[in-house]
Amino acid sequence: MKNRTLLLLTGCCLAMSLQLAAQTVTTHSYVARGATSAFGRSTVTGINANDLKERGFCWSSETSEPTVADAHTTKTLVQGGTLYHIEGLTPATVYHMRAYALLKDSTAYYGNTVKVITIPKGTITWSYNNGGPADANNRINIAVKEAVEYLNEYTSITGFHTSVNYGADTPTADCSYGGWMRVGPNASYQRTGTILHELLHGIGVGTHGVWNSNSPLRANGSSGTWLGDRVTEFLQFWDNSVGSTLTGDGTHMWPYGINGAHEDTGSELLYMGCAMIAQALGEDGLPPTGGFGTPAYVLEQEDTIKYYIKSESPEGGLNDAYLRQNKIKRLAWEKMTAEEAALNDSAAWYITFNPKTRYYQLRNVATGHYMTYYGTGVSGFRLTDQGFASVNESFHLMRSRVDADFGGTPMKGMRGYWIIHPESKQNPTCLSVSVSGLTTTATFDLGNDAIKQRWLIVTAEELNGIEEASKQAACNQLDDAVSQLKKLMQVPHVEDVPGTDDAMNSHVATVEGLDLSQKGINELMTLAAETQDSCFSFLSKVSPTDANSPFDLTYLIADAGMDSGEGWSTSPAINHSCGEFYQKTFDMYQTLSGMPAGTYELRAQAFQRPGSSADSYNAYVAGTDNVAAYLYAGGQSTKVKHIASEARTTKIGTGTESAVGSPVRYIPNDMLATSRYFLRKLYENSVMVELKSKGNLKVGLRNSSAASNYWTIFDNFRLYYYGGLSPEEVASIELPAVQPQTQEPLFATPADVYNIIGVCVRKQATSLEGLPRGFYLIKGRKVVVR
């Protein structure tokens, strides 16, 4: 009986424990903030609705664990579900907030605490010329006043004045970058939503190059999805949907753009959303007042935690180095392991944030010296022993939009930061890595590939994870290098330097026999570099036997298939795995370093339409080729094909095609149609160059005309190496547009050998040994004997 009672008590306690454990309040991690208000979401589980007295949010600027005894609210709005509206906050202030659930018996359950920093209140001003009828003037004055109030609450924009004018001949309303606005006589457009829409133009939407001029923040360069994280994070919170994104054309945005009277519902939530997107656009990099983007709290830090900083660039020590202060108060990156960094306070930093300026300060843990800005050059960013942070010790941090890449494998959630000297211009100075082991300054580059300008900022707890990612990246690079060397060695070739094959096979066998788990990062990186060098060393000592099967070096070209534009000097618009520039001059290139001497061929599918479809076709048929785009490699170039050169008699039937000429021919008129033409191996281009000695090879595509309707589109870059064959010798070879993956060995079975004029010089041969130097035909393949 006693044991049974004990079992019952134990069961009751367990049930109570499970019940308590199930009572959970969760504060959603993202909290939208303005100057004096904020918005939060929460989830409550395990609490019976009949027992619940109230739900809400509590907050405090004094304690990290606020309770209902502190400031709290139960006010809700309906926006993608239940949204808690927190009011009465102080601008530019650090708060700790959390959701709570209060039972009728006064038991309170709390969610996790979220750090929220309100923004400084905006200082936008306005004026109106009252140039219309009295009723219109009244409506416009009210609308402008309300719109500016929304922006001053939910953005931190300063130095902006909108000058509003009555436009008797203005159908709706318009506004230029900088704030000069006209509002017409249509009463439907004399409303708060219209003015907010026009003020978006005033701060850059549709009027600034970061919005509509080949911008790295737009999916299609000048249109499509906005790629900035700050806007996306806000929209996904506001809509309560992980799929929400901002999109638009070259002028307008959706959602919350209020693009016409039909979209103006008069909703306060619509106006709030519009204003908070305006703030987020600035934080992503759209300059609201002609200077630079809006500073914000992007690195979630704590003042007393040690942080460690490393370049996002592999050449600058991504895998094995940390930023530290050296003996002469210079910033240097030094190779060290994660364990060594954690024990070295000269490689540790305290980072603070000023809510009023929204700038960060970085102070070395070992010396207490602040990072400071002196000017441009290698000494531009250094350390000062000044005991406080002033203007030159304050930096604008901007977060990368892409995860840091460790040898082709992005580390999820690990983002780098630009460390920027605040300047009122679009391209201020930022901290950059120097290959000398020091740092230097650079002109800010908003592109995703500006990794030398970005820095990973990690805690001690994250150091080992970074090191493991680096080690795995080094292993992957080594595997790739070995695989590539083996692939090159499989190409039929002759040794120009005896013993080359044996040396390469020995290197591969040695590497493949190693236990990589016992190797450090530096050892692995050295092995990878040595194997990559072996590829070039091999190429410099052999020549292809079969001129139709050169060495394929396309792997050296980043994004050769135009899937992202990454790795090229400038980013084209990308769609359907094609790149394009429309009505733009450009020079899009990559520089391949350390290339062995010999002959190279760069191929690409590309064409230019020099004008409208009809005009360019008619001019071409009449003998005028106005193409201004060239494919080039080193000092050699060739004009890319005219769009009319491979016009078809029938439609492909995918995408948009233009009917031109008489009799009718068809040419592509959009990226989808072009991609299908390319799939049919149309518009092939080729250029050859000979490197007389080992060196760099610049490959790319350039265009010198931005005339009306000039359209350049391209895909499938390929690079082939012919060793010691001269360009003249290779020029006679008709290389297939796409190389086969495998090819039967030349003498898998005996074959007759013919010279270049078709005379059989050897019957049922099993080798080329003893034949004079020159070209021969074997099994329909052209081969060369050196």
Side-chain angles (χ1 to χ4, degrees):
M1 184 67 165
K2 180 178 179 180
N3 290 338
R4 182 180 178 186
T5 302
L6 180 60
L7 287 172
L8 287 172
L9 287 171
T10 301
C12 290
C13 291
L14 179 60
M16 290 176 66
S17 174
L18 291 171
Q19 183 180 13
L20 289 173
Q23 295 166 329
T24 304
V25 177
T26 302
T27 311
H28 291 202
S29 60
Y30 186 95
V31 174
R33 76 281 181 267
T36 65
S37 61
F39 303 89
R41 297 188 189 276
S42 68
T43 302
V44 175
T45 58
I47 296 178
N48 192 312
N50 294 328
D51 297 330
L52 187 63
K53 179 181 180 182
E54 66 181 44
R55 287 176 56 182
F57 263 72
C58 56
W59 64 92
S60 173
S61 61
E62 304 294 332
T63 176
S64 61
E65 295 185 347
T67 68
V68 290
D70 297 299
H72 61 281
T73 187
T74 59
K75 181 179 179 180
T76 59
L77 303 171
V78 179
Q79 171 63 29
T82 300
L83 192 66
Y84 288 90
H85 191 186
I86 302 158
E87 299 175 289
L89 304 177
T90 302
T93 301
V94 179
Y95 288 95
H96 290 91
M97 300 180 178
R98 58 178 175 175
Y100 73 87
L102 186 64
L103 304 187
K104 293 176 180 177
D105 64 2
S106 297
T107 301
Y109 295 95
Y110 295 98
N112 47 297
T113 301
V114 177
K115 183 178 179 180
V116 178
I117 304 179
T118 54
I119 62 174
K121 200 170 181 67
T123 60
I124 298 172
T125 57
W126 64 279
S127 61
Y128 172 55
N129 71 352
N130 288 294
D135 58 340
N137 289 342
N138 183 56
R139 286 191 295 268
I140 293 170
N141 274 294
I142 293 172
V144 176
K145 178 177 181 294
E146 288 182 351
V148 169
E149 286 175 349
Y150 274 106
L151 289 178
N152 280 338
E153 166 58 30
Y154 295 109
T155 80
S156 57
I157 296 172
T158 62
F160 182 88
H161 177 83
T162 181
S163 178
V164 184
N165 303 272
Y166 185 79
D169 298 325
T170 304
T172 55
D174 54 42
C175 185
S176 61
Y177 185 66
W180 195 89
M181 186 188 306
R182 293 184 303 184
V183 181
N186 188 333
S188 298
Y189 287 86
Q190 298 167 356
R191 301 179 62 192
T192 303
T194 296
I195 305 302
L196 279 170
H197 169 87
E198 299 305 334
L199 286 172
L200 288 175
H201 293 317
I203 62 172
V205 174
T207 54
H208 193 282
V210 173
W211 179 269
N212 59 17
S213 181
N214 196 29
S215 170
L217 287 170
R218 303 300 299 281
N220 298 322
S222 301
S223 62
T225 303
W226 179 262
L227 302 178
D229 280 346
R230 303 293 285 182
V231 168
T232 301
E233 288 168 347
F234 167 73
L235 269 177
Q236 292 180 353
F237 165 81
W238 199 244
D239 290 345
N240 201 18
S241 170
V242 294
S244 289
T245 57
L246 187 75
T247 189
D249 53 25
T251 306
H252 305 96
M253 72 178 203
W254 295 273
Y256 305 103
I258 319 177
N259 304 293
H262 63 290
E263 292 187 14
D264 188 356
T265 63
S267 163
E268 182 183 26
L269 286 164
L270 173 65
Y271 299 161
M272 289 173 174
C274 178
M276 282 188 275
I277 287 174
Q279 173 72 6
L281 285 168
E283 294 173 358
D284 278 331
L286 181 67
T289 56
F292 192 60
T294 306
Y297 184 63
V298 293
L299 171 67
E300 297 185 2
Q301 49 67 241
E302 295 297 335
D303 295 356
T304 58
I305 289 180
K306 294 179 183 180
Y307 294 91
Y308 300 84
I309 304 175
K310 55 169 49 243
S311 171
E312 196 178 322
S313 165
E315 294 83 1
L318 168 66
N319 297 305
D320 61 352
Y322 293 86
L323 189 68
R324 64 180 294 267
Q325 176 178 340
N326 67 14
K327 293 180 180 178
I328 57 172
K329 293 192 294 188
R330 292 281 296 277
L331 287 170
W333 51 276
E334 183 176 304
K335 291 189 176 184
M336 59 182 80
T337 65
E339 183 179 3
E340 290 169 340
L343 297 173
N344 187 346
D345 276 352
S346 71
W349 302 85
Y350 289 127
I351 301 178
T352 53
F353 178 76
N354 185 330
K356 297 186 184 301
T357 64
R358 289 147 293 149
Y359 294 139
Y360 289 82
Q361 302 78 41
L362 296 87
R363 183 165 55 93
N364 190 263
V365 173
T367 65
H369 296 164
Y370 282 95
M371 185 184 297
T372 188
Y373 177 74
Y374 270 56
T376 57
V378 293
S379 299
F381 287 81
R382 56 187 308 176
L383 283 301
T384 176
D385 55 9
Q386 178 177 284
F388 60 93
S390 59
V391 173
N392 283 335
E393 288 73 56
S394 295
F395 299 101
H396 179 160
L397 264 58
M398 182 177 284
R399 188 178 63 191
S400 170
R401 299 175 297 277
V402 292
D403 293 337
D405 190 333
F406 290 83
T409 304
M411 187 174 181
K412 187 172 177 59
M414 181 56 65
R415 300 288 178 90
Y417 294 84
W418 282 275
I419 301 176
I420 305 161
H421 175 240
E423 300 171 56
S424 185
K425 59 183 182 181
Q426 189 172 340
N427 299 109
T429 304
C430 64
L431 179 66
S432 180
V433 71
S434 171
V435 294
S436 64
L438 299 174
T439 62
T440 186
T441 58
T443 300
F444 173 78
D445 180 352
L446 188 58
N448 288 338
D449 58 352
I451 55 175
K452 289 184 178 180
Q453 299 183 3
R454 294 199 299 265
W455 302 84
L456 302 182
I457 303 175
V458 300
T459 64
E461 290 74 19
E462 294 172 316
L463 288 177
N464 288 331
I466 291 284
E467 188 161 278
E468 284 303 311
S470 296
K471 186 171 182 178
Q472 185 58 54
C475 287
N476 293 341
Q477 290 173 5
L478 179 57
D479 288 344
D480 290 344
V482 169
S483 175
Q484 191 57 55
L485 178 57
K486 291 167 71 173
K487 184 177 179 181
L488 291 172
M489 292 174 65
Q490 290 170 1
V491 175
H493 62 273
V494 294
E495 292 183 341
D496 296 330
V497 177
T500 298
D501 285 348
D502 287 344
M504 295 300 109
N505 284 323
S506 175
H507 178 80
V508 169
T510 298
V511 172
E512 291 184 333
L514 295 174
D515 181 359
L516 299 185
S517 66
Q518 301 302 311
K519 299 293 181 182
I521 292 175
N522 290 332
E523 291 179 281
L524 292 168
M525 293 177 65
T526 298
L527 282 169
E530 289 174 350
T531 306
Q532 290 164 353
D533 288 344
S534 293
C535 291
F536 286 173
S537 176
F538 169 74
L539 291 172
S540 69
K541 298 174 182 177
V542 299
S543 294
T545 303
D546 187 341
N548 283 296
S549 298
F551 295 103
D552 187 348
L553 303 188
T554 303
Y555 74 95
L556 296 173
I557 300 178
D559 193 33
M562 301 314 301
D563 295 314
S564 66
E566 297 296 326
W568 294 94
S569 61
T570 187
S571 298
I574 300 288
N575 211 344
H576 302 292
S577 193
C578 296
E580 71 168 12
F581 291 99
Y582 182 66
Q583 297 183 166
K584 288 183 175 67
T585 59
F586 63 87
D587 186 3
M588 187 189 80
Y589 64 86
Q590 296 180 31
T591 300
L592 310 178
S593 59
M595 304 296 285
T599 296
Y600 294 85
E601 181 182 26
L602 177 68
R603 297 180 69 89
Q605 289 177 277
F607 65 73
Q608 185 174 73
R609 186 190 66 198
S612 69
S613 293
D615 290 346
S616 62
Y617 181 84
N618 292 336
Y620 181 80
V621 172
T624 302
D625 183 345
N626 292 319
V627 167
Y630 287 80
L631 181 72
Y632 68 91
Q636 301 298 315
S637 62
T638 186
K639 187 182 287 190
V640 303
K641 290 192 174 179
H642 192 292
I643 190 173
S645 65
E646 299 191 12
R648 294 171 54 87
T649 58
T650 59
K651 281 188 174 183
I652 283 182
T654 302
T656 303
E657 297 169 84
S658 295
V660 293
S662 181
V664 173
R665 296 290 186 271
Y666 296 95
I667 55 177
N669 196 39
D670 66 7
M671 298 184 82
L672 176 57
T674 299
S675 70
R676 298 307 185 266
Y677 275 63
F678 286 169
L679 281 174
R680 286 161 174 77
K681 300 180 175 59
L682 299 174
Y683 299 109
E684 279 285 346
N685 303 267
S686 169
V687 62
M688 286 188 184
V689 65
E690 183 178 14
L691 287 185
K692 296 296 186 181
S693 59
K694 179 180 177 180
N696 294 341
L697 179 63
K698 185 177 178 181
V699 297
L701 188 70
R702 62 174 178 261
N703 173 49
S704 59
S705 177
S708 177
N709 290 307
Y710 265 60
W711 178 38
T712 312
I713 187 165
F714 39 86
D715 194 8
N716 299 322
F717 287 84
R718 283 145 286 151
L719 182 65
Y720 299 107
Y721 178 66
Y722 293 87
L725 294 176
S726 71
E728 292 74 23
E729 290 174 309
V730 179
S732 64
I733 302 169
E734 295 183 2
L735 187 68
V738 178
Q739 288 286 356
Q741 293 297 311
T742 59
Q743 197 169 35
E744 181 186 67
L746 196 59
F747 293 109
T749 57
D752 294 343
V753 180
Y754 296 83
N755 65 16
I756 200 68
I757 61 174
V759 176
C760 182
V761 297
R762 183 174 291 181
K763 287 266 188 193
Q764 295 299 293
T766 57
S767 77
L768 296 171
E769 186 176 351
L771 288 174
R773 183 179 185 275
F775 285 105
Y776 296 90
L777 297 175
I778 305 169
K779 297 181 180 178
R781 291 157 60 183
K782 190 178 292 184
V783 299
V784 64
V785 172
R786 291 182 51 76

